[in-house]
Structure formats: C-alpha cells, structure tokens
Amino acid sequence: MTRSLEAPEAEHPAVGPWVETIHWIMTQASMGVVDPYSQLPPELAGPGRTPSAPAQDEEDRPGTPGAELPAEGAIGSAILADDGLPDEGIVPSGPAEGGVSDGQPEMLAGSGEDDPAGKVTPARPRLKVPRWEEAAREQTLAAVRKFGDPLRALLERDANEGDTRLLITDLLCEGLGYDKYADLTTEYMVRQDFADYGVRIDRQLVAFIEVKRVSQKLNERHLRQVQMYAVNEGIEWMVLTNGQIWQVYHLTGGLPVVVDLALEVDLLGPEPAESKASRLFYLHHESLKRRQIEEVWRHSAATAPELLLDVILSDSVLDLIRREVKKRTGTATSPDVLRKVIRSDVAQPKLLDRISR
C-alpha cells in the first residue's frame, strides 16, 4: 500500500486550526509510526492560531500540556468516614467562595502559591479525620505525656500491684476515655477467680485487663491467666499490662483456641510520645467501640513470624526456592534438604519452638 500525504484542502473553520497537527501525524504515519499521536509535540497538542479567532495563551488553554494539572491524589483519595473506617471517594468539604461546588478535595490551608501568571497552584488534599478520632488521639497523646513521670516514679520505688492499678485506672479514665463506674469493673468474677478489670462498651463486656506490678516482666503464665478468663466468658480481647508495657491479644475460639498479639506499647520506651500514642489509641474507648483494633490485629496476624515461616516451609514455596537455587548456582537440591537447612540454620530457635506447639 502506498502512503500519501496529500489531503483535500482544509477550509472548514473547525479543521483549519488543526492543519499543522494533521500534517505532522500523517507524516509520521507515512514513515511507519504505529501510534504517532502518542509522540505529538506539545506545540501541536492544541489548535493553532487562526486569523478568524483571537489568540489564546497556550498555558491558559484547558486540556493542553501547558495547563495546570490537579494536585496528585486530588481525585479518588482515601478518606475516613464518620465510622472511622477507610472509604474511597473525594474528601468532602463545605461550599467554598468563588463558586466551587461541594465534593472538591479539602486543601491544606495556606499551602497554595501564586505563580507569575496569577494562577494558584492546588495544594495536596488532606485526609479528613472524624472529630471524635482527632479528639481521642489528642487525649491519648496527652495521657502518654502526663503519666510518664508518675510511671517512672512507680518503677523506681518498685511499687506493688495495688499502686500500679491506681495509675492504670487513672490512665484508662483520663487518657483513654473510660467511665470509671459505667465502663470498668474491678475484680470481675470469672468462675472461682477474679480478673483485675472487665471492660464494657455500651454495657457489653468486650475485654479483660490483667495487671501486674510495675517492675514485673510480663510472661506466658500471665497470658494464660487472662486467656482463661476470656475463654470462660467468650471474650475475644485481652490486655496484659504492668503499666509500662501494654500488650493487646486477640482470642479466636475453637479447638485449640488461637491467641494473637495484636499490638504492644512500651510507655517508657525510647520512641517518641506520638508513636506510642498512635498505638495506644486503639485501646481508647471510642476506637474500641468502633472496632478499629480488628484491622490492627488482622495485619499483625497476617505478618506474624510463625505464619511467615510456615508459609516458607510449605511445599509450593520450597519448590520455588529450589528452582531459584538451581538457577543461581547450577546445583540441584530437594525441598526436604531446603526445609532442613531453613529450620536448622535460618530460623531462630524460639520461633521454631512456637510453631511446633
């Protein structure tokens, strides 16, 4: 087939401004370019200037490469809905001055800058945090800062469990939003034993808290103690703490029951107060009420070392490793040999002990 650059004279007003663009595309096509439009020069991406139409500044013309583009992520950015769970959509905002309609992304105040042409560069959109969550996070952060010194004082004098409980009660009420009388039950009776705290949300028992003295290291025996309470009462959340260390566990019923560590916070650790508060927040009354901690638990369970090692030692993964070893070294091996090496030389003994139970 013979390619030709000849075309009828473009005299129609709608075609005239595009003559140079059309000619360039046909030239590229005649040379065998499959998709010439994708390589179109910027100056040909818009209609050319014609005597019958007033010139329009190339940078001001909508839809041209010179036009201002929306800020990255301005459309389709994730927001936090009123229930505190992630949702997809556009950050809602109230009516804005200048005729901007609802549904435009909420911009960071004072972040737009004027350019020489008088246009304003759009600011990056901000995720909208519900008011309850903002208030709860601020309350948690204030508590982490406030109770640091009293907690150190308890640790220095090796305070007993009773004194540790006094601080924990204050932290739960002042810092995590619990009502001392409506939400907390001390010495909650379970069969013939007593849990240190039963935690209620809207009158429903949702968690047990077991407290140890501030200087005592938390261990498996303490976990089994609070686990027994949870199993007997059908409760899925357990908190183990000595005031300094806070461990939150999830219990999944069955035979056997499955216990996962959802999060851990060291209130006297070296990390910033903001980092500690961001994790302790999930124990806040308002966050626990909305079950946000479930997402934390699911992510923690999905990345648990025991699970990951079990995945690595599975037949399908070991077969992939065998192929990769053969590809890199030229030496053939077997899944059984790889499994033995991983268990004996790669995995930590404590981890192997946990997955073999």
Side-chain angles (χ1 to χ4, degrees):
M1 184 175 94
T2 303
R3 296 184 176 89
S4 174
L5 299 182
E6 297 180 0
E9 188 68 26
E11 296 180 351
H12 193 281
V15 178
W18 294 95
V19 168
E20 293 184 8
T21 301
I22 294 171
H23 186 270
W24 187 91
I25 292 175
M26 293 181 66
T27 300
Q28 296 297 310
S30 68
M31 293 186 293
V33 177
V34 176
D35 189 9
Y37 184 81
S38 63
Q39 305 178 34
L40 195 66
E43 61 271 15
L44 297 180
R49 298 176 180 175
T50 62
S52 59
Q56 185 179 18
D57 191 359
E58 200 60 33
E59 290 186 357
D60 291 337
R61 184 182 299 116
T64 65
E68 197 67 52
L69 296 177
E72 181 180 358
I75 299 178
S77 58
I79 66 171
L80 291 174
D82 289 338
D83 60 359
L85 300 177
D87 192 9
E88 293 295 323
I90 300 176
V91 179
S93 61
E97 295 181 3
V100 179
S101 61
D102 291 344
Q104 294 297 321
E106 180 181 347
M107 299 299 180
L108 294 174
S111 59
E113 297 181 358
D114 292 342
D115 66 8
K119 297 187 295 295
V120 177
T121 303
R124 296 184 64 182
R126 176 176 58 189
L127 296 182
K128 186 176 181 180
V129 177
R131 292 178 183 176
W132 72 263
E133 181 172 335
E134 186 176 0
R137 288 186 180 276
E138 290 177 357
Q139 185 181 17
T140 306
L141 177 58
V144 169
R145 290 168 172 166
K146 175 181 178 179
F147 288 97
D149 289 340
L151 188 55
R152 289 187 185 89
L154 289 179
L155 189 59
E156 288 173 2
R157 67 181 176 88
D158 191 18
N160 60 31
E161 185 176 313
D163 289 347
T164 305
R165 281 199 216 178
L166 291 176
L167 182 141
I168 288 174
T169 299
D170 289 342
L171 178 57
L172 288 170
C173 297
E174 295 182 33
L176 299 180
Y178 292 93
D179 184 287
K180 185 183 299 185
Y181 306 106
D183 301 327
L184 302 177
T185 301
T186 59
E187 298 298 324
Y188 190 100
M189 187 172 183
V190 182
R191 299 289 175 91
Q192 301 302 316
D193 208 342
F194 296 90
D196 290 327
Y197 294 89
V199 179
R200 297 182 185 276
I201 300 290
D202 295 334
R203 300 182 180 181
Q204 295 295 319
L205 185 67
V206 298
F208 284 118
I209 301 178
E210 184 64 22
V211 178
K212 300 303 173 185
R213 69 186 298 161
V214 67
S215 60
Q216 190 168 13
K217 301 288 186 182
L218 304 178
N219 57 44
E220 290 287 334
R221 181 171 57 85
H222 302 147
L223 176 58
R224 286 195 297 271
Q225 182 181 356
V226 70
Q227 178 182 327
M228 179 188 66
Y229 302 147
V231 169
N232 287 333
E233 293 293 318
I235 301 303
E236 60 180 327
W237 295 106
M238 307 169 292
V239 181
L240 192 58
T241 181
N242 58 9
Q244 175 183 349
I245 307 296
W246 290 72
Q247 297 174 346
V248 183
Y249 292 89
H250 179 271
L251 184 146
T252 303
L255 291 175
V257 298
V258 177
V259 176
D260 298 309
L261 177 64
L263 65 87
E264 182 173 6
V265 187
D266 182 352
L267 296 185
L268 296 182
E271 58 186 334
E274 291 80 5
S275 179
K276 300 171 187 175
S278 68
R279 294 202 298 278
L280 192 63
F281 159 77
Y282 292 102
L283 277 183
H284 193 283
H285 179 278
E286 296 303 311
S287 178
L288 197 59
K289 177 180 179 179
R290 292 163 173 81
R291 305 181 68 87
Q292 289 182 323
I293 197 171
E294 289 188 359
E295 281 301 314
V296 179
W297 158 59
R298 289 192 182 98
H299 181 270
S300 177
T303 56
E306 298 94 325
L307 175 63
L308 296 181
L309 181 58
D310 195 43
V311 170
I312 292 172
L313 294 177
S314 65
D315 292 339
S316 58
V317 174
L318 286 175
D319 188 57
L320 292 175
I321 295 175
R322 179 187 62 79
R323 296 179 188 180
E324 186 65 21
V325 169
K326 176 69 179 298
K327 178 181 177 181
R328 295 190 180 194
T329 67
T331 302
T333 185
S334 69
D336 290 337
V337 171
L338 292 173
R339 183 180 288 108
K340 182 178 179 180
V341 172
I342 292 173
R343 293 183 66 91
S344 62
D345 299 334
V346 178
Q348 298 179 359
K350 288 184 179 179
L351 179 58
L352 289 169
D353 181 60
R354 292 207 297 266
I355 69 171
S356 62
R357 292 177 185 175

